[in-house]
Amino acid sequence: QVQLVESGGGLVQAGGSLRLSCAASGSSFSIGAMGWYRQAPGKQRELVAGITSLGYTNYADSVKGRFIISRDNAKKTVWLLMNSLKPEDTAVYYCNVPLYPNNYWGQGTQVTVSS
């Protein structure tokens, strides 16, 4: 069993920055890929950014150049630094760890960007 605890969400004005964190804990395990998803009201959950165990990253086109995903394997933690935030970034953000045969999700943290 793996638990993912998120923090860092909040209210910010357009153009501002926010940093989300997600820490994994539980039984002894090793983590491969980790990612951040988001879901706006009435919308499908979408992948925002992913990072492999070796640190290779992938970003949704809508956040490229603005968001940075990073990780610390020793701390089993993944961060999402969000810069130049836009109102369309408003959503609940979830961290995700696919660990066969399960798929683990954080509790979700609200990010609201005002104009």
Side-chain angles (χ1 to χ4, degrees):
Q1 190 79 287
V2 175
Q3 295 80 231
L4 304 178
V5 179
E6 301 179 30
S7 64
L11 174 64
V12 64
Q13 290 188 353
S17 297
L18 217 52
R19 179 170 158 270
L20 308 181
S21 66
C22 175
S25 64
S27 302
S28 180
F29 63 94
S30 60
I31 298 178
M34 305 179 76
W36 287 96
Y37 289 71
R38 68 186 181 188
Q39 187 168 25
K43 304 280 287 186
Q44 196 77 17
R45 187 172 299 185
E46 64 175 350
L47 177 66
V48 176
I51 185 167
T52 72
S53 61
L54 295 179
Y56 294 99
T57 59
N58 181 61
Y59 298 92
D61 289 339
S62 60
V63 307
K64 283 182 180 177
R66 300 189 296 121
F67 290 10
I68 301 173
I69 187 171
S70 60
R71 67 186 290 164
D72 186 320
N73 289 334
K75 295 180 178 179
K76 296 180 179 178
T77 300
V78 61
W79 296 270
L80 183 67
L81 176 60
M82 304 181 292
N83 297 311
S84 302
L85 282 163
K86 305 174 180 179
E88 48 263 46
D89 294 318
T90 295
V92 178
Y93 285 70
Y94 301 88
C95 63
N96 170 251
V97 175
L99 196 61
Y100 184 84
N102 301 119
N103 194 28
Y104 297 95
W105 295 92
Q107 81 277 13
T109 184
Q110 177 70 49
V111 172
T112 303
V113 184
S114 64
S115 59

